[in-house]
Amino acid sequence: MHQQAPPSLADDLAAALADAPRADRVLRPTAVAPRAPRSPQREHHPARHRLAELPPTHTLLICVALPGLAISAEQGQQTGSGLEGFYRAGRRLLSRCQVRVAGREPLAVQARMQAADRARFVGTLRVSPQGRGPDPDVVVERTRCADGTERITLHSAALRPLRLPLEVALGTDLATLGAIASGRAGPELPAVVRDGGLRWSGAEGSVSVTAAPPPTEALASAGLLRWEFDLPPGGSASVELRVRPDGSAPLRAVGSAATSPLAPACATGDDPRVPALLRTSVDDLRALLLRDAAHPADLHLAAGAPWRCGLAPAEALAAARMALPLGTGLAAGTLRTLARTQIAGPGPKSGMIPGPRRDAGPHLPPGCTGTEATLLFPVLLAEARRWGLPERETEELLPAAERCLTWLRTTVGDGVYLPDPQPGGAVRCETQAHAHRAALLGADLLDAYGRPGGTGLRQWAQALRGAFRDDFWIDDPRGDRPAAARAPDGRLVPHLGAPVAHLLDTGLLGGGGLAPGLLDQVRTERLARLLGGPDLDSGWGLRGLGVKEAGHNPFGHRTGAVRVHETALAVAGLAAAGYEKEAASLLRGVLAAAEAFGHRLPEMYAGEPRTEGGAPLPHPAACRPAATAAASAVLLLTTLAGIRPDAPARTVTLRPVRSAPLGEVVLTGLRVAGAPFAVRVGRLGLAMVEEAADGLQLGV
């Protein structure tokens, strides 16, 4: 993977979308969303054409129940502009759905998400004769679902009977998300009347809209369905539209309650934002679940909607790890799915989990997410075992984890550091943190099953700790801090950003203990002060790049925006290291941001400083919902209780945040050792187990 000058976002988008027009191949503005890659280090290609402006997402209501999406603006009408429409598997089945009642569009008065897959829009009309005051007397309610259905209901509050014509104008281009993102959606297709509804056909297939009750009139040339309703005073009438590709069955969401691997966790407590955040986040995680097409029993998370509705290995593993308190089923499905993608045979890439490259900002070339995924694989397996993954499933996945660890040791060779995969690549700070954690947790896993290699991994990890403390620390007039990376010539890359938070994420070992980290106690304290300082803590969360650093951009996805995943890791790491003040500040910031976003956290938002009465600025192209953001909420809230299970030893240890920054918090419906688990953290910072598996003992 040879790297020249980092390409621009437009170049990245142009190349990716030209190569990969499906939804699971569409680029978000941070990275190429992965397809099943041929290599973990895919080259950047020159842009084939310049893209149009990426359609904004921050003002949209996005209903998700993958593989279905329903997207619209707050006024409720789907006009065909931007991303609006109904989608299935990355193709827009319907781009336009516009309602008129008595010849007029309703006045939009409210739009609300009712669940991850459902939104409700309310509009009003005044149809009574003039002179009766300004009060509306007809309410138009629309309930839109990601499964391709919409229910339109007219409610009359008039004092006399009303005859109301209802018209729904429909249209589609059958465009892919990739084509829409790149401004190549194409014109609307002509409609034909079919079975009392409308049908459209194109090179990629055909789609129909049916209605119940059937319309009184259907006009193909105008794409129009029309009804006449007689409403008595106080009466109502409804129409249900169904959008479906021809020959396909009704859409059944992967994350339905019967098949979801995620426990129905709930929260209560002093802070009313806590239950709303957990409820919404679990709902979003379920909505983002996908099946492995060849192995439908294995579920994993898509990276996010609308841009990344496919498998992104590093994000899927990271989200499954943070969601372990909801059960180990998601982790198992994700690990099995990715084990089948692992590169086999001889060669330097043998054992890698493939993944595309990710932009790293102006100071470093793009990094390979395959490296991150390969190092996360054994970590997730080891921690899932601690949370209660059955021994049989752990043993089945152990060979794939061993291959990841073999790749690590082979790639490091006789050296100490794990470099970027391309020749002469940089040695990144966070990569060493990932590798160190993988070695220690991997060694623990190998020892547990009597497999060789644990001693060598621990010896290498010890050597890495010694070298890192000498080679990755900067002391200059700006203050001492960890380096972001070492260049091939040994030069330190000094910029300060959120990736240093990974140094605190050391991983869970047995008996409720955490693995040692790369920093000693003195430098851990210094890092805690940096993470809690105004350069990185925006008041809404952790900035991707410090505000005083060259190239800082509050909207830059690696240069200043708040990325929720890294903020959650910082909170958990700071709390575990005993720096509760800094952890609480970041936690409160994310909680305040979540409230501003209706408790549905986007993957990132602007790192502008928080001000009195202000609100976080949304990133116009961020995925929302996003798997890592939704799973981050689970990690943030369970960090308050400090739950550290060891299912093989039948113990669970609690290390709560003693300052109780959110007051009393009660978490129920979690899973530890395969059974329901509930914990209460009181206002004095004391934790108490209220429900647990039989025989599970409280550790010390």
Side-chain angles (χ1 to χ4, degrees):
M1 188 172 75
H2 209 50
Q3 178 58 40
Q4 307 298 326
S8 69
L9 170 60
D11 291 343
D12 266 351
L13 280 167
L17 294 178
D19 287 347
R22 295 203 311 268
D24 64 339
R25 298 180 182 177
V26 174
L27 201 89
R28 67 170 178 172
T30 59
V32 177
R35 53 185 166 183
R38 293 182 297 272
S39 164
Q41 297 113 4
R42 182 180 172 209
E43 294 282 356
H44 284 288
H45 299 290
R48 292 172 171 81
H49 57 273
R50 184 64 56 177
L51 287 181
E53 185 75 16
L54 197 67
T57 61
H58 65 289
T59 58
L60 300 177
L61 275 71
I62 302 177
C63 304
V64 185
L66 292 182
L69 296 173
I71 304 175
S72 54
E74 291 188 349
Q75 45 80 26
Q77 300 279 42
Q78 291 176 318
T79 65
S81 62
L83 287 168
E84 294 177 8
F86 283 95
Y87 295 78
R88 185 183 288 199
R91 185 170 299 279
R92 183 156 64 181
L93 304 183
L94 193 69
S95 57
R96 191 163 52 86
C97 183
Q98 296 170 284
V99 169
R100 292 170 64 90
V101 179
R104 290 182 289 147
E105 289 194 9
L107 174 67
V109 296
Q110 189 183 75
R112 291 177 62 86
M113 295 295 301
Q114 293 185 309
D117 66 336
R118 187 169 61 256
R120 177 176 180 262
F121 305 88
V122 178
T124 60
L125 289 165
R126 186 163 64 91
V127 298
S128 295
Q130 297 294 325
R132 300 253 178 137
D135 298 339
D137 48 15
V138 173
V139 174
V140 183
E141 180 182 358
R142 303 173 70 173
T143 302
R144 181 170 296 144
C145 298
D147 65 359
T149 61
E150 178 165 337
R151 188 171 187 84
I152 305 165
T153 302
L154 310 180
H155 303 280
S156 173
L159 298 177
R160 60 182 180 83
L162 296 177
R163 174 174 282 268
L164 293 177
L166 169 66
E167 296 177 340
V168 181
L170 304 166
T172 188
D173 48 23
L174 290 180
T176 64
L177 263 170
I180 296 165
S182 59
R184 298 182 285 111
E188 284 192 358
L189 299 170
V192 297
V193 176
R194 178 181 174 183
D195 298 332
L198 296 173
R199 180 177 183 267
W200 298 264
S201 296
E204 301 296 333
S206 57
V207 64
S208 297
V209 173
T210 57
T216 55
E217 189 176 11
L219 302 175
S221 59
L224 191 71
L225 302 181
R226 192 173 188 275
W227 295 260
E228 290 273 355
F229 291 111
D230 292 312
L231 267 63
S236 299
S238 294
V239 167
E240 184 169 278
L241 305 176
R242 304 180 191 90
V243 186
R244 190 176 301 169
D246 286 357
S248 67
L251 183 65
R252 186 170 184 267
V254 174
S256 62
T259 59
S260 174
L262 301 170
C266 298
T268 58
D270 292 339
D271 193 320
R273 299 170 297 180
V274 168
L277 177 59
L278 185 58
R279 180 177 61 250
T280 303
S281 297
V282 173
D283 200 24
D284 283 343
L285 289 171
R286 287 177 171 167
L288 291 170
L289 286 169
L290 289 173
R291 294 188 189 280
D292 185 320
H295 300 81
D298 291 338
L299 304 183
H300 61 269
L301 289 167
W307 301 120
R308 307 189 69 199
C309 292
L311 174 62
E315 284 85 347
L317 289 164
R321 182 177 176 229
M322 292 187 289
L324 281 172
L326 305 181
T328 60
L330 175 61
T334 304
L335 290 166
R336 284 193 291 264
T337 298
L338 291 176
R340 290 188 283 269
T341 74
Q342 194 170 32
I343 298 173
K349 300 173 186 175
S350 179
M352 281 196 78
I353 305 295
R357 292 164 69 183
R358 175 194 289 145
D359 181 43
H363 300 285
L364 286 168
C368 177
T369 62
T371 298
E372 184 179 343
T374 306
L375 297 173
L376 266 171
F377 189 101
V379 168
L380 177 57
L381 180 59
E383 292 190 326
R385 176 174 174 265
R386 296 294 174 193
W387 281 89
L389 183 66
E391 295 292 327
R392 177 184 55 80
E393 296 185 58
T394 305
E395 288 190 81
E396 289 174 354
L397 288 161
L398 188 57
E402 286 183 288
R403 290 191 289 271
C404 292
L405 296 169
T406 299
W407 170 85
L408 167 61
R409 294 294 289 121
T410 301
T411 305
V412 170
D414 294 331
V416 177
Y417 297 117
L418 180 65
D420 279 0
Q422 72 268 19
V427 177
R428 300 174 198 252
C429 169
E430 68 269 26
T431 301
Q432 310 319 305
H434 296 325
H436 183 261
R437 181 184 61 207
L440 292 180
L441 271 65
D444 191 57
L445 190 62
L446 295 176
D447 288 353
Y449 289 93
R451 307 294 263 273
T455 300
L457 286 166
R458 289 191 183 89
Q459 289 173 345
W460 172 75
Q462 183 177 5
L464 177 60
R465 284 197 296 276
F468 188 91
R469 292 168 185 176
D470 292 336
D471 297 344
F472 265 81
W473 198 258
I474 298 172
D475 191 3
D476 64 20
R478 294 174 55 197
D480 56 326
R481 62 196 181 280
R486 288 179 64 87
D489 60 4
R491 176 181 52 87
L492 293 179
V493 180
H495 70 275
L496 179 66
V500 296
H502 291 278
L503 291 169
L504 298 178
D505 179 19
T506 60
L508 179 65
L509 293 175
L514 299 180
L518 286 173
L519 300 180
D520 58 26
Q521 185 173 351
V522 172
R523 289 176 175 176
T524 298
E525 181 176 359
R526 173 59 182 162
L527 178 57
R529 304 297 178 238
L530 291 170
L531 293 173
D535 278 4
L536 288 180
D537 185 353
S538 70
W540 302 113
L542 198 64
R543 293 185 177 96
L545 184 66
V547 72
K548 295 180 181 179
E549 302 294 331
H552 172 81
N553 172 5
F555 283 94
H557 62 280
R558 299 278 166 177
T559 56
V562 173
R563 298 178 65 246
V564 178
H565 171 208
E566 286 181 330
T567 302
L569 290 178
V571 171
L574 288 165
Y579 298 98
E580 295 191 359
K581 178 182 177 182
E582 292 80 3
S585 176
L586 290 171
L587 171 63
R588 291 190 185 102
V590 173
L591 201 61
E595 183 178 30
F597 287 114
H599 307 290
R600 175 183 257 189
L601 281 164
E603 61 178 329
M604 60 181 171
Y605 43 88
E608 286 283 291
R610 184 176 176 180
T611 58
E612 184 69 28
L617 296 175
H619 193 291
C623 286
R624 180 168 172 260
T628 54
S632 292
V634 178
L635 176 61
L636 287 168
L637 297 179
T638 53
T639 291
L640 293 170
I643 306 168
R644 301 182 187 178
D646 187 352
R650 304 300 295 172
T651 64
V652 61
T653 303
L654 302 179
R655 293 287 186 268
V657 178
R658 297 291 185 178
S659 59
L662 303 181
E664 183 176 79
V665 174
V666 181
L667 302 173
T668 60
L670 304 176
R671 290 290 184 273
V672 173
F677 185 83
V679 61
R680 178 187 301 270
V681 181
R683 298 179 184 91
L684 298 179
L686 301 176
M688 177 185 300
V689 174
E690 297 198 330
E691 183 181 17
D694 291 340
L696 194 66
Q697 300 295 316
L698 190 63
V700 295

